[in-house]
Amino acid sequence: MSVPLTFDGKVVLVTGAGGGLGREYALAFGQRGASVVVNDLGGNAKGEGKNSAAADKVVEEIKAKGGKAVANYDSVEDGEKLIQSALDAFGRIDIVINNAGILRDRSFSRLSELDWDLIQRVHLKGSFNVTRAAWNHMKEQKFGRIIMTASAAGLYGNFGQANYSAAKLGLLGLSNTLAIEGRKLNIHCNTIAPIANSRLTQNIMPADILENLKPEYVSPLVLWLCHEQCEETGALFEVGAGWIGKLRWERSPGHVLLRKNHPMSPEAVRDQWDNICDFKDASHPATVNESLMSMLSMLNKEPAGDGLVANPTSSLGHNPAQAVGYKFPDHTFSYTEMQCILYSLGVGMSTKDPDHLRFLYEGHENFACLPTYGVIISQAAVMDSGLTNIPGLEINPTQILHGEHYLKCYQPLPTSGTLISKATILDILDKGSGAVIIINVSTYQGQRLVCSNQWSVFVVGAGGFGGKKSSPHAETTAPPPSRAPDAVVVESTTKEQAALYRLSGDRNPLHIDPSFSAMGGFKDPILHGLCSFGFASRHILKQYANNDPARFCAIKVRFVKPVLPGQSLQTEMWKEGNRVHFQCKVKETGSLTLSGGYVDLYEDQTSDPKALQPAADLQSRLVFAEIGRRIQASGAGLVEQVKGVFGWEITQDGKTIAQWTIDLKNGAGALHEGPYSGKADVSIAVSDADFMALVQGKVNPQQAFMAGKLKIKGNIMLGQKLDIILKDVAKL
């Protein structure tokens, strides 16, 4: 038998408790040990008249059953007086049931201002006044439970009840906001839309229906929502006749209309109406942030094409294009083995797993740094310099979201040392509702390129400036294969996961301060997206690379929905060659949190001694690293001289082992490793050894071409500008 719920020591105020639902609530709380303030003005259903008899009778009923109660006859418009009654009689206030209400039903054409104002004053303002008077008392005692009473008329509308419907739906908005502000204070606020026999319904519904709509079929829900064991807050329930249902919003995926080649117009809306209203693959946003992220995810799915229509009110600044090519100040990052270990703990590693020890104990014979620690190094380079100090841009820090991330490791990260990071803005994209700033960060140990990161930062509300929508510089996500996952790993985060991860450098209060996260529209502080990123990377490294960081090449991911500390992450993996596609879900909800992800692995050298060495060991890598530095230093000048895109294939034993693209045509120039998503003006294939001979001046390019050692496709005349690109790199 379950343990009964009691309210010993709790003080409850029930408004409109002289009859119907309010009376049933008051009796039920009194029977279970609460001290009850029974409020009722004693008027009729239209709010006319005043009488103390109704409240007095309920108080007598409670006392007759051994309970404690006092009556209050004030209007809910005088909220302070109601709360003072509770304080005078019982010394505190714990629970407020906003139940009082009246009706002034009229068709809209006959509705007077008095009819409108009276309903708002009693239902909406009355609930506000009573709750506001109780709020600080609840705040001080770190406990409070509040119920707002809405109605089906407010949720769906009802003929002749425009005033009543508006007030009732207004109570839902008030409740949702109080739930956000009160969560950190242990003040919970929920809304019910009851269907029951009361003064407001007895003249509307037939008697046989009212018989099944007894108030005692509603009160159990109210009592549970007000109990200290109940964690529900910010929820909406319909209840009646012994049935309870929880409601949520549903939104169609919608359709993006604002494009240059398809101007947004009433006709465009008409033509896309079926798509706008199609609820297939609908979302269910529960917070302002989830609503925004859901919309942004639809914008990100739009195919590349013409940019959006220019918007002179864009908040990104007066000249976003000026920021392309901007170079952040060089950033020095020093760390020890302890920072590597702290990061490993932050992304869920534990001594419970023997395989984790090599990342947690500096005395281990194979002690190593997790590859994804590279994001911490690059984050410092971007955030310490500040996104708000970029010429040509005006960025509100509260509008910044981390949209996507790409990390490439050219060698295992050192377990300690001093690294230098060079960050550059590669491009700025116009997504209509916001702007995407693509930032590249190259990190070096001395002259050796260690890793590179590409940050895709979404700035909410900064779009519509007429910029392009896609970029050849952007590393793109990749959808998983259309089959069941090859492997699935589920791992729980801890309640302290975000508090632990932030010690590695991401001190955003969104992840630790309940009041700050509430302002962001989250019920609780959320886990860092890059923490989930670290979890998923670990799962793949263990599943397919035997926890060998030397095999880690690159990772790309899109951040979708947040994770709460304590929830479980489910990483689903598909292996295709040396690429492992993955996505990550919250196990408890099924919500996708990371999408379009993949991890590229280097060949396993231990299992195949004849396998090619990783591209990190190529001699040409150092040359391309120097070219990358040169582009960062004087890319605009090189673009002006060259005006071309060069695609390179570096070979060994006749096989392509590395690919590079030198873009000296777009923006301030860029260097990419891996397959190029755009079209190169010149494609060049050469062996690693012959490439080095060319760079060192031992072989003439024309002679190499004639001898078949240098294969060129595309604009061969542009190949004559290779000297500009390769000049002086032999000094390395």
Side-chain angles (χ1 to χ4, degrees):
M1 184 176 180
S2 61
V3 179
L5 299 177
T6 61
F7 292 85
D8 297 334
K10 294 294 190 284
V11 178
V12 183
L13 165 65
V14 183
T15 68
L21 284 169
R23 171 182 172 274
E24 182 60 34
Y25 300 151
L27 293 175
F29 277 114
Q31 187 175 358
R32 290 176 179 263
S35 300
V36 184
V37 178
V38 179
N39 161 263
D40 202 285
L41 187 64
N44 61 22
K46 292 184 178 180
E48 301 166 339
K50 184 174 183 179
N51 194 312
S52 64
D56 289 339
K57 183 178 179 181
V58 176
V59 169
E60 291 172 5
E61 289 185 76
I62 294 173
K63 289 183 174 180
K65 295 180 180 180
K68 293 176 286 186
V70 297
N72 175 276
Y73 319 114
D74 295 303
S75 167
V76 289
E77 294 182 72
D78 300 315
E80 291 284 355
K81 294 181 179 179
L82 276 69
I83 299 304
Q84 193 60 49
S85 292
L87 299 176
D88 291 344
F90 305 115
R92 60 186 290 129
I93 181 67
D94 298 288
I95 299 168
V96 170
I97 311 297
N98 290 298
N99 174 72
I102 61 172
L103 286 176
R104 305 277 293 198
D105 290 356
R106 299 278 194 281
S107 63
F108 189 67
S109 61
R110 298 176 56 238
L111 193 68
S112 69
E113 281 196 47
L114 178 62
D115 294 327
W116 177 271
D117 290 343
L118 279 176
I119 292 294
Q120 308 307 314
R121 281 162 46 192
V122 173
H123 289 270
L124 187 54
K125 190 173 182 181
S127 296
F128 162 75
N129 285 340
V130 173
T131 303
R132 182 178 61 173
W135 188 264
N136 283 338
H137 298 286
M138 293 178 172
K139 182 178 179 180
E140 290 175 5
Q141 67 201 21
K142 296 291 183 181
F143 179 87
R145 297 292 186 266
I146 302 164
I147 298 293
M148 299 292 182
T149 305
S151 166
L155 304 181
Y156 310 112
N158 194 34
F159 184 87
Q161 292 190 310
N163 50 357
Y164 182 74
S165 300
K168 287 302 188 183
L169 193 57
L171 284 168
L172 176 60
L174 173 61
S175 178
N176 289 344
T177 296
L178 294 184
I180 292 171
E181 294 186 16
R183 178 176 284 271
K184 67 181 182 297
L185 306 169
N186 193 27
I187 301 175
H188 296 174
C189 191
N190 290 286
T191 305
I192 64 167
I195 307 172
N197 185 354
S198 68
R199 284 184 298 173
L200 301 189
T201 60
Q202 59 189 205
N203 295 322
I204 298 175
M205 297 183 176
D208 57 336
I209 293 180
L210 291 174
E211 179 62 26
N212 293 317
L213 299 178
K214 296 179 179 179
E216 53 262 43
Y217 297 156
V218 174
S219 60
L221 170 63
V222 172
L223 266 67
W224 165 240
L225 291 174
C226 292
H227 198 271
E228 60 188 359
Q229 294 178 9
C230 183
E231 294 297 321
E232 191 73 53
T233 189
L236 168 64
F237 300 89
E238 285 188 294
V239 53
W243 169 89
I244 301 172
K246 185 175 182 180
L247 282 75
R248 65 179 181 180
W249 295 105
E250 181 176 66
R251 183 172 65 188
S252 72
H255 189 81
V256 179
L257 293 151
L258 188 62
R259 301 177 70 85
K260 278 184 177 177
N261 55 340
H262 298 291
M264 194 168 184
S265 65
E267 293 77 16
V269 176
R270 175 199 63 198
D271 296 342
Q272 296 297 332
W273 193 246
D274 288 345
N275 290 327
I276 293 169
C277 299
D278 185 357
F279 277 84
K280 182 181 178 182
D281 300 323
S283 61
H284 301 91
T287 67
V288 171
N289 189 73
E290 285 186 14
S291 173
L292 175 62
M293 293 303 292
S294 176
M295 179 185 70
L296 298 184
S297 69
M298 295 309 302
L299 289 170
N300 286 335
K301 291 179 182 178
E302 282 293 295
D306 290 340
L308 302 180
V309 177
N311 173 15
T313 64
S314 168
S315 63
L316 191 59
H318 61 280
N319 188 12
Q322 177 186 342
V324 176
Y326 171 79
K327 295 174 179 58
F328 294 78
D330 287 0
H331 187 271
T332 301
F333 186 92
S334 298
Y335 63 103
T336 68
E337 293 91 342
M338 293 303 103
Q339 276 75 49
C340 297
I341 294 171
L342 185 60
Y343 173 78
S344 298
L345 292 169
V347 295
M349 286 199 142
S350 167
T351 54
K352 294 178 182 179
D353 189 332
D355 291 342
H356 293 178
L357 196 59
R358 69 175 301 187
F359 300 102
L360 298 176
Y361 174 42
E362 71 280 8
H364 192 281
E365 61 180 353
N366 293 316
F367 179 61
C369 180
L370 277 174
T372 47
Y373 187 63
V375 303
I376 299 295
I377 300 168
S378 72
Q379 186 172 29
V382 174
M383 298 307 172
D384 287 359
S385 299
L387 289 172
T388 58
N389 300 320
I390 301 171
L393 299 186
E394 297 172 8
I395 300 175
N396 182 341
T398 64
Q399 296 175 306
I400 295 174
L401 298 172
H402 194 177
E404 297 182 5
H405 198 90
Y406 177 78
L407 165 67
K408 172 91 172 180
C409 289
Y410 303 104
Q411 60 180 344
L413 295 180
T415 55
S416 64
T418 298
L419 305 180
I420 304 296
S421 292
K422 300 175 181 292
T424 304
I425 294 182
L426 293 183
D427 226 332
I428 299 179
L429 308 181
D430 190 339
K431 294 290 186 177
S433 64
V436 174
I437 303 175
I438 301 175
I439 304 171
N440 185 77
V441 184
S442 297
T443 300
Y444 301 88
Q445 186 179 40
Q447 298 296 315
R448 190 176 179 85
L449 181 62
V450 176
C451 66
S452 62
N453 285 260
Q454 186 176 102
W455 293 71
S456 295
V457 178
F458 193 93
V459 185
V460 179
F465 54 86
K468 56 186 178 180
K469 194 172 183 181
S470 61
S471 170
H473 304 307
E475 301 289 348
T476 58
T477 55
S482 55
R483 66 174 188 269
D486 300 328
V488 177
V489 173
V490 178
E491 185 176 4
S492 296
T493 64
T494 69
K495 288 288 187 180
E496 296 76 29
Q497 203 72 61
L500 184 57
Y501 181 85
R502 69 186 297 271
L503 298 181
S504 288
D506 190 339
R507 306 295 176 85
N508 188 337
L510 179 69
H511 307 292
I512 191 72
D513 186 344
S515 60
F516 198 90
S517 61
M519 287 189 291
F522 298 104
K523 294 181 178 179
D524 290 300
I526 60 173
L527 194 62
H528 305 71
L530 284 174
C531 182
S532 302
F533 173 96
F535 267 78
S537 173
R538 281 201 302 101
H539 295 162
I540 295 167
L541 197 65
K542 181 174 181 178
Q543 183 73 29
Y544 292 112
N546 196 30
N547 272 336
D548 181 2
R551 291 202 58 202
F552 182 93
C553 177
I555 181 172
K556 171 68 181 183
V557 77
R558 173 179 293 160
F559 302 102
V560 184
K561 283 190 174 183
V563 179
L564 296 178
Q567 290 182 322
S568 301
L569 292 170
Q570 177 174 305
T571 304
E572 301 173 348
M573 297 165 264
W574 295 260
K575 190 172 189 301
E576 296 199 331
N578 282 342
R579 172 164 289 187
V580 180
H581 296 268
F582 75 93
Q583 62 185 21
C584 207
K585 296 178 179 177
V586 176
K587 175 68 174 178
E588 290 79 1
T589 65
S591 298
L592 199 62
T593 185
L594 303 177
S595 71
Y598 62 82
V599 168
D600 289 333
L601 300 172
Y602 289 124
E603 291 286 350
D604 185 358
Q605 301 301 304
T606 60
S607 62
D608 182 8
K610 295 182 179 179
L612 291 176
Q613 291 295 311
D617 291 341
L618 291 173
Q619 297 180 65
S620 54
R621 174 171 300 284
L622 196 59
V623 175
F624 283 108
E626 173 60 24
I627 292 172
R629 280 194 292 272
R630 183 173 295 174
I631 291 174
Q632 285 195 328
S634 54
L638 289 172
V639 169
E640 184 64 27
Q641 294 181 68
V642 177
K643 297 180 181 177
V645 178
F646 294 78
W648 292 82
E649 289 188 7
I650 304 300
T651 66
Q652 275 186 354
D653 299 326
K655 296 180 180 178
T656 299
I657 193 171
Q659 292 177 285
W660 297 85
T661 302
I662 301 172
D663 183 351
L664 294 175
K665 187 175 185 179
N666 300 294
L671 177 70
H672 303 277
E673 182 174 5
Y676 183 55
S677 58
K679 183 179 180 181
D681 297 304
V682 184
S683 296
I684 304 169
V686 63
S687 73
D688 186 53
D690 289 334
F691 178 80
M692 294 306 298
L694 285 169
V695 170
Q696 294 168 344
K698 297 177 181 178
V699 176
N700 179 279
Q702 286 80 12
Q703 292 176 342
F705 175 72
M706 297 302 294
K709 294 182 178 181
L710 182 67
K711 299 178 181 179
I712 302 179
K713 295 180 181 179
N715 187 350
I716 297 178
M717 298 302 295
L718 196 58
Q720 296 178 2
K721 296 187 178 182
L722 283 176
D723 286 343
I724 298 174
I725 300 172
L726 302 179
K727 183 180 179 182
D728 293 335
V729 293
K731 291 180 180 178
L732 292 167

